């Protein structure tokens, strides 16, 4: 039940027998805000609330509104926040852990969480000080990410009564943090560079073992973690189809298998004849007891970070003479397929991305600089 009110004034709302104030959207940049009064619905409390509304509206008109609303409750203690942001963040991560991949939880707890835990301002209602401290001690990008996740954590904390605060102070704060940066550009290899990279791996005394994995990345455009985590049970008996539904990543110092893709989608990849023949040949030399298609020399999952810093940097980087990573094999596959005229929607399905993401972040437009109209 809600009392009728003129446009632009505060409404008194009764929900589940409790009173709260509903503020005009224009007070908060078009967002709907409420303030729970902690009062049961009865005539006396309605009268008290009506007087309170007049006081708040008058302060608003004078430009003296107290955004914490503590001024209007002199008979009460300041609205408490039962948990500091560090404790709240730990509880929130434990709650989310059941539905997230281990790598994501590791990032939340150890990546973002380490900044939250060491922040000297732990009270939720000191959001501005928290934001300023983050901007002083880390990058704008990291500050923006942390403020955004704190907004979600506080919202969860309010819902589950972990914190008691009238308005979530982190809501939309991240949008006020400006980030001036350029996303890394796509870096597709030319056909000649691909041949040289593969030849260099095959000819390498120490890293020839990894040539098959590099070839697979170039032929499928899969994420590096999906190639590293590929198991024979994901490939049909005649090697004509692959199901990408898992990956292997490094979380902290541990190699972890995830039975989900980055987007939590399963996709089927139809192999071209060269890839089918390639997989059939690998299958003939499969070692008993090893499920991985591309294991390390010791039969274990390949450590992507170690591979990138050693094998890739020593074999591929000198050939390319420009910064690169194994992930650029994905740029190469996507750019090559676009150059061959394959519709973007199909490539997006093969690579588990949207058309928009492919155009923005994977298609290396410099690869078509020499093309002419047909």
């Amino acid at each position: 039940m809600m009392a009728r009110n003129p446009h632009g004034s505060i409404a008194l709302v009764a929900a589940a027998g409790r009173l709260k104030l509903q503020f005009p959207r224009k007070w908060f940049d078009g967002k709907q805000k409420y303030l729970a009064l902690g009062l049961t619905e009865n005539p006396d409390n309605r009268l008290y609330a009506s007087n309170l509304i007049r006081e708040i509206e008058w302060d608003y008109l004078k430009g003296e509104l107290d955004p914490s609303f503590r001024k209007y409750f002199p008979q009460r203690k300041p609205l408490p926040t039962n948990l500091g942001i560090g404790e709240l963040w730990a509880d929130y991560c434990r709650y989310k852990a059941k539905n997230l991949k281990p790598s994501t939880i590791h990032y939340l707890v150890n990546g973002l969480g380490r900044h939250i835990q060491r922040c000297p301002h732990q009270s939720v209602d000191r959001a501005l000080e928290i934001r300023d401290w983050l901007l002083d001690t880390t990058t704008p990008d990291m500050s923006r990410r942390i403020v955004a996740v704190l907004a979600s954590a506080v919202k969860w904390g309010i819902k589950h009564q972990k914190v008691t605060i009238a308005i979530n102070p982190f809501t939309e704060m991240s949008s006020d943090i400006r980030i001036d940066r350029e996303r890394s550009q796509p870096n597709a290899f030319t056909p000649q560079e691909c041949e040289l990279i593969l030849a260099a791996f095959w000819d390498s005394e120490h890293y020839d073992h990894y040539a098959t994995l590099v070839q697979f990345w170039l032929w499928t455009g899969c994420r590096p973690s999906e190639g590293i985590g590929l198991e024979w049970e994901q490939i049909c008996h005649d090697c004509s189809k692959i199901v990408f539904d898992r990956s292997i990543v490094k979380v902290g110092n541990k190699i972890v298998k995830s039975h989900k893709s980055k987007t939590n989608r399963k996709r089927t990849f139809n192999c071209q004849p060269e890839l089918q023949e390639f997989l059939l040949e690998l299958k003939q030399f499969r070692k008993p007891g090893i499920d991985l298609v591309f294991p390390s020399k010791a039969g274990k999952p390949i450590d992507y970070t170690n591979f990138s810093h050693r094998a890739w940097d020593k074999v591929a980087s000198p050939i390319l003479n420009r910064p690169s990573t194994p992930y650029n094999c994905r740029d190469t596959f996507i750019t090559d397929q676009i150059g061959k005229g394959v519709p973007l929607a199909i490539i997006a399905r093969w690579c588990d991305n949207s058309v928009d993401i492919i155009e923005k972040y994977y298609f290396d437009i410099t690869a078509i600089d020499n093309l002419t109209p047909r």
Side-chain angles (χ1 to χ4, degrees):
M1 176 177 182
M2 182 171 69
R4 294 178 63 85
N5 65 305
H7 179 70
S9 60
I10 301 171
L12 181 60
V13 180
R18 310 286 289 182
L19 294 176
K20 61 182 178 179
L21 306 184
Q22 177 180 308
F23 294 94
R25 291 180 182 271
K26 69 177 184 179
W27 285 27
F28 298 98
D29 297 324
K31 300 299 180 181
Q32 186 65 74
K33 301 291 184 181
Y34 295 89
L35 175 63
L37 298 180
L39 301 172
T40 57
E41 183 183 14
N42 60 51
D44 290 339
N45 285 339
R46 277 189 166 275
L47 177 61
Y48 167 80
S50 298
N51 292 331
L52 183 63
I53 287 173
R54 284 195 289 271
E55 181 182 359
I56 295 174
E57 289 180 339
W58 178 239
D59 279 358
Y60 177 79
L61 292 173
K62 293 188 297 179
E64 298 175 359
L65 179 68
D66 176 9
S68 73
F69 298 103
R70 293 175 179 172
K71 170 184 177 181
Y72 310 107
F73 302 97
Q75 75 281 17
R76 301 181 185 182
K77 295 180 180 179
L79 294 173
T81 56
N82 299 326
L83 292 182
I85 58 171
E87 295 174 296
L88 177 64
W89 182 245
D91 283 359
Y92 179 67
C93 289
R94 282 191 288 270
Y95 172 80
K96 298 287 286 185
K98 295 180 180 179
N99 296 312
L100 297 176
K101 294 183 288 187
S103 57
T104 303
I105 288 298
H106 182 268
Y107 170 69
L108 292 177
V109 174
N110 298 295
L112 304 182
R114 64 189 177 91
H115 297 287
I116 294 172
Q117 297 293 346
R118 68 187 183 91
C119 178
H121 312 294
Q122 287 289 308
S123 179
V124 172
D125 56 3
R126 298 186 66 183
L128 290 178
E129 291 98 321
I130 293 168
R131 183 202 63 176
D132 291 345
W133 179 84
L134 289 169
L135 289 171
D136 287 340
T137 57
T138 187
T139 64
D141 179 49
M142 179 60 74
S143 300
R144 187 174 186 175
R145 294 184 191 187
I146 293 171
V147 166
V149 296
L150 281 175
S152 298
V154 172
K155 181 180 178 180
W156 173 83
I158 292 172
K159 179 179 178 181
H160 294 278
Q161 299 181 344
K162 300 284 186 178
V163 295
T164 307
I165 195 166
I167 294 175
N168 185 344
F170 292 98
T171 301
E172 297 185 355
M173 182 182 283
S174 62
S175 62
D176 295 331
I177 299 177
R178 182 178 176 180
I179 301 175
D180 295 320
R181 67 175 185 182
E182 292 185 4
R183 183 179 284 264
S184 60
Q185 296 298 308
N187 181 17
F189 312 139
T190 66
Q192 294 75 21
E193 287 173 334
C194 290
E195 290 181 8
L196 290 172
I197 290 170
L198 288 170
F201 268 103
W202 281 118
D203 293 340
S204 172
E205 179 181 356
H206 299 291
Y207 302 115
D208 58 323
H209 176 80
Y210 303 103
T212 53
L213 175 59
V214 175
Q215 179 69 83
F216 183 78
W217 284 334
L218 289 168
W219 270 344
T220 63
C222 71
R223 298 180 180 93
S225 59
E226 293 173 333
I228 289 172
L230 186 70
E231 296 181 340
W232 284 108
E233 68 177 15
Q234 295 172 253
I235 304 174
C236 70
H237 69 283
D238 65 352
C239 297
S240 62
K241 294 180 184 295
I242 303 169
V243 175
F244 288 108
D245 63 352
R246 67 196 68 171
S247 62
I248 285 181
V249 295
K250 192 171 185 179
V251 178
N253 293 318
K254 295 182 179 180
I255 301 295
V256 178
K257 180 191 294 187
S258 173
H259 286 279
K260 294 179 180 179
S261 73
K262 184 176 181 180
T263 60
N264 294 329
R265 289 191 293 261
K266 178 171 71 173
R267 70 188 190 279
T268 299
F269 185 93
N270 297 321
C271 299
Q272 59 270 48
E274 296 87 354
L275 177 57
Q276 183 180 11
E277 183 179 352
F278 168 79
L279 291 173
L280 285 170
E281 184 175 353
L282 280 181
K283 194 175 183 179
Q284 293 179 14
F285 296 96
R286 176 185 177 185
K287 294 182 179 179
I290 297 180
D291 297 326
L292 292 169
V293 179
F294 304 104
S296 69
K297 292 180 180 179
K300 304 295 183 181
I302 292 171
D303 184 326
Y304 174 76
T305 303
N306 187 51
F307 171 84
S308 298
H309 292 325
R310 293 188 179 182
W312 186 266
D313 283 350
K314 291 182 180 179
V315 177
S317 295
I319 293 170
L320 297 168
N321 198 28
R322 64 181 185 273
S324 68
T325 71
Y327 216 100
N328 295 133
C329 293
R330 189 165 166 84
D331 299 342
T332 303
F333 173 83
I334 289 171
T335 301
D336 181 55
Q337 296 304 312
I338 292 175
K340 291 176 179 177
V342 179
L344 281 174
I346 294 177
I347 300 172
R349 184 69 179 266
W350 286 343
C351 296
D352 190 30
N353 272 126
S354 67
V355 169
D356 182 57
I357 291 296
I358 280 185
E359 287 183 318
K360 284 184 178 179
Y361 306 128
Y362 290 102
F363 174 42
D364 188 347
I365 198 168
T366 62
I368 63 170
D369 284 347
N370 296 324
L371 295 182
T372 57
R374 292 180 179 180

